[in-house]
Amino acid sequence: MKKTSLWIGAILVGINVVIALLTLVWLPYDPTAMSGGRLAAPSWAHWAGTDRLGRDYFTQVMIGARIALTVAVGAAALGGLIGTTLGVLAAFAQRGFDDALAATLDILIAFPTLLLAMLVVAASDGASLGTAILAIGIAMSAIIARLVRILTKRVLAQDYITAARCSGLGWGRIVLVHVLPNIAPTVLVAIALQFGLAVIAEASLSYLGLGAPPPNASWGQLLQSAQSTVFNAPIGVIAPGLALMALVLGINFLADGLRDLLDPERGAA
Amino acid sequence: MSLLEVKDLRVHGPARELVHGISFSVEPGERLGLVGESGSGKSLTAMSTVGLLAHGLRAEGSVLLDGQQVIGKPDRALVPLRGPVAAVVFQDPRSALDPLMKLGEQLAHPIRRRAKREGRSLSATALRAEQLRWLDRVSIADPERILTSWPHEVSGGQRQRIAIAMALACGPRLLIADEPTTALDVTTQAEVLDLLDTLARDEGLALLFISHDLPVVARITDRVIVMQQGRAVEEGPVHQVFTRPRDAYTQGLVAAAQQLEAAVRGMQ
Ligand SMILES: Nc1ncnc2c1ncn2[C@@H]1O[C@H](COP(=O)(O)OP(=O)(O)OP(=O)(O)O)[C@@H](O)[C@H]1O
Ligand SMILES: [Mg+2]
């Protein structure tokens, strides 16, 4: 059972990654060129039909995979880095700083990502991949920081830490040698789970026009523009919708499988 | 010069004072026992002497560790001071070792640190020889296998021995042992105590030995301080304190221990 979910997840995510990488070097059609009739139904030439400007839809869904993964990877890297740093600092900090940070994180977690994204877009010059990564990454960092803070405190309370400190190990080395390896499994699984949420967040942002601008359209934007023709050409909603679902489901399966594999309690006998 | 000299040590908690002015000293090679009921402040006193109190606790007074003041120093200044002087072993074998690091690697850390401190370079073979020597010194059978094992693959007694080896591999002159045998079964407890006794003698180590078990303390220390509610109520040579206790609280402790022993004898 454990292995199955890991495999299903790996395959679903793997397909998306391969497609995303493929779009960098090859596309079935030029995504901006008219290559068939308007709103054509799926056929051998156009697997997902064409949009209302006659552009190949499958090509656009493929590009969407790249956008989704780029934003999710970027946000996860940003959120993981900021979150881990803040969390470890908070665990070491004096009461005052720790309390202030904990309160800030709670506010940030309660703050809607959407609102945060609008603020970020307003503060920069227009929506782009970067603003989406920044907004989702900040939201994610708060969740990771809160987790890291608790995990770090738990590790620091262990006797072997005090023993190592007594025999002359400084805080910096303690973090590198003992804290990070011990919190890594749990944090990685949390980031993997957040990764799925980041994909959904990215789709929502671009659905609302707060994501990457066309022609590098993300799934959210495809959904948005296909919504008015949903009854004439349902494939326009089905294709990006399925792709989104497959990726998010795959990520969650993978995270679940990873959690079992990297069981952080494996050492506790 | 005393290895450790504590004068009027007070420890403040977030709400109240937890240790109310305690003074004692430990000479090089001397063994001092700290006994007293749970919560009497034994651990706080011991950890204050190396500046390792938990967050939210504050020590006051004077602690000279190898002649250097510990109280009020930032942690940065204490790291180089602690390493060559003191080491500590705790009660719980489950949290004595890093669960995600192989035993050989954990033992390598203090050995490398000591080599670095003494300006020696350490080849891979020399390191391995040191690791095996330390495991041998703490009477671990099959040291080769232990080096590549995870902490959860060895018994509590073995973990405690490895923790002792790691503490001593740093080359300290004072070993703080905070109830190091309380969590072990009676046979293992006796073995680990013998081991500590022998190692301390061989290395010329001073011991600060904490326990609420009077017979254990009597067996391993020369001098003892009896603590109650954050105060030292009695201090003196072990045999004197245990045979002619002056303080009412100590008399109670000794009587209880004697009753237990009598009961055990009665059963035999
Ligand atoms: N981090 C802390 N914050 C607040 N109070 C503490 C803290 N650590 C210990 N105390 C309190 O200080 C007192 C003395 O604690 P200490 O750990 O020194 O007792 P002890 O004599 O070692 O007991 P035991 O035999 O149970 O280990 C206790 O009343 C305890 O509740
Ligand atoms: Mg204690």
Side-chain angles (χ1 to χ4, degrees):
Chain A
M1 174 57 218
K2 291 175 180 175
K3 284 274 148 60
T4 328
S5 81
L6 190 69
W7 276 113
I8 297 176
I11 289 169
L12 286 176
V13 174
I15 291 173
N16 272 283
V17 171
V18 168
I19 289 178
L21 291 176
L22 187 65
T23 62
L24 292 173
V25 290
W26 179 82
L27 286 167
Y29 293 92
D30 179 348
T32 53
M34 205 168 140
S35 55
R38 290 162 187 244
L39 291 177
S43 64
W44 272 118
H46 301 283
W47 289 4
T50 56
D51 69 2
R52 83 186 89 177
L53 295 175
R55 299 173 301 199
D56 182 58
Y57 206 55
F58 194 75
T59 306
Q60 297 183 47
V61 175
M62 280 173 70
I63 293 175
R66 186 179 78 211
I67 307 298
L69 284 171
T70 308
V71 172
V73 169
L78 190 71
L81 203 68
I82 299 179
T84 306
T85 312
L86 280 183
V88 169
L89 282 179
F92 276 100
Q94 296 298 323
R95 266 255 162 77
F97 177 74
D98 187 18
D99 288 349
L101 197 68
T104 313
L105 292 180
D106 283 341
I107 293 172
L108 209 54
I109 288 168
F111 205 76
T113 308
L114 202 58
L115 212 56
L116 193 66
M118 289 164 98
L119 287 176
V120 172
V121 170
S124 53
D125 40 72
S128 68
L129 266 188
T131 55
I133 291 176
L134 197 60
I136 299 172
I138 290 175
M140 201 191 244
S141 71
I143 292 170
I144 299 296
R146 195 160 68 165
L147 176 73
V148 167
R149 170 174 167 271
I150 294 168
L151 290 174
T152 304
K153 286 200 164 191
R154 200 151 76 190
V155 174
L156 291 181
Q158 299 289 311
D159 287 345
Y160 66 87
I161 297 288
T162 315
R165 288 232 290 138
C166 188
S167 58
L169 203 62
W171 280 128
R173 302 278 304 159
I174 294 263
V175 169
L176 285 181
V177 174
H178 294 298
V179 175
L180 292 182
N182 271 287
I183 68 173
T186 314
V187 174
L188 282 181
V189 171
I191 289 180
L193 284 169
Q194 288 296 310
F195 205 85
L197 294 178
V199 171
I200 296 178
E202 188 277 330
S204 319
L205 291 187
S206 53
Y207 180 85
L208 295 166
L210 292 169
N216 282 333
S218 99
W219 293 330
Q221 209 197 334
L222 293 183
L223 284 171
Q224 198 271 332
S225 49
Q227 143 181 314
S228 54
T229 55
V230 63
F231 295 112
N232 321 9
I235 188 72
V237 173
I238 293 171
L242 270 182
L244 181 64
M245 226 174 74
L247 180 57
V248 174
L249 210 62
I251 290 168
N252 286 345
F253 271 130
L254 197 61
D256 270 351
L258 271 183
R259 176 162 48 196
D260 294 331
L261 205 69
L262 296 176
D263 188 352
E265 301 307 338
R266 109 187 123 148
Chain B
M1 183 179 66
S2 299
L3 188 52
L4 176 64
E5 191 165 350
V6 178
K7 275 212 191 92
D8 195 29
L9 171 71
R10 292 165 188 276
V11 178
H12 297 271
R16 62 198 174 91
E17 195 176 84
L18 299 166
V19 173
H20 316 285
I22 188 166
S23 305
F24 62 91
S25 65
V26 180
E27 304 304 316
E30 192 190 14
R31 294 142 173 237
L32 176 66
L34 276 182
V35 282
E37 64 198 351
S38 187
S40 55
K42 306 182 295 291
S43 298
L44 291 185
T45 303
M47 296 324 286
S48 309
T49 64
V50 280
L52 287 176
L53 284 175
H55 261 317
L57 299 179
R58 190 169 49 81
E60 221 174 61
S62 161
V63 171
L64 293 178
L65 185 63
D66 201 25
Q68 305 224 39
Q69 184 58 250
V70 167
I71 308 261
K73 281 262 184 69
D75 191 68
R76 223 172 331 105
L78 291 176
V79 169
L81 171 61
R82 283 193 289 250
V85 180
V88 51
V89 182
F90 290 102
Q91 167 177 4
D92 185 0
R94 277 169 313 175
S95 83
L97 301 168
D98 186 333
L100 292 188
M101 202 187 282
K102 288 203 172 158
L103 296 172
E105 179 59 20
Q106 308 209 31
L107 185 53
H109 278 278
I111 295 174
R112 286 202 203 100
R113 214 150 53 233
R114 182 181 186 176
K116 193 170 162 216
R117 196 177 72 217
E118 294 172 353
R120 284 183 285 133
S121 69
L122 199 65
S123 68
T125 34
L127 173 66
R128 191 174 168 77
E130 280 272 287
Q131 286 170 317
L132 292 174
R133 188 174 72 87
W134 276 110
L135 289 182
D136 183 53
R137 294 202 62 187
V138 293
S139 310
I140 291 248
D142 199 2
E144 308 266 350
R145 184 183 62 83
I146 293 287
L147 283 185
T148 56
S149 301
W150 296 100
H152 69 271
E153 293 170 341
V154 303
S155 74
Q158 282 171 318
R159 257 179 272 172
Q160 209 61 336
R161 286 162 194 271
I162 293 164
I164 293 173
M166 286 174 60
L168 296 187
C170 280
R173 286 184 287 146
L174 169 69
L175 180 66
I176 299 171
D178 192 345
E179 311 204 26
T181 60
T182 308
L184 304 173
D185 67 76
V186 181
T187 324
T188 318
Q189 188 173 345
E191 287 169 8
V192 171
L193 277 179
D194 277 342
L195 181 71
L196 273 178
D197 194 28
T198 319
L199 284 171
R201 187 165 321 117
D202 292 354
E203 302 272 312
L205 270 184
L207 268 184
L208 184 56
F209 191 96
I210 301 173
S211 181
H212 52 245
D213 191 344
L214 292 189
V216 165
V217 172
R219 178 162 160 193
I220 202 159
T221 62
D222 317 317
R223 208 154 53 82
V224 62
I225 294 176
V226 182
M227 288 191 70
Q228 187 194 17
Q229 293 179 0
R231 285 197 174 77
V233 292
E234 185 149 3
E235 178 182 355
V238 163
H239 63 91
Q240 182 195 317
V241 170
F242 289 161
T243 51
R244 275 170 285 130
R246 283 188 315 254
D247 182 81
Y249 173 68
T250 320
Q251 283 164 0
L253 278 183
V254 173
Q258 280 165 349
Q259 269 167 21
L260 182 66
E261 214 155 292
V264 169
R265 247 185 242 122
M267 280 187 281
Q268 283 165 351

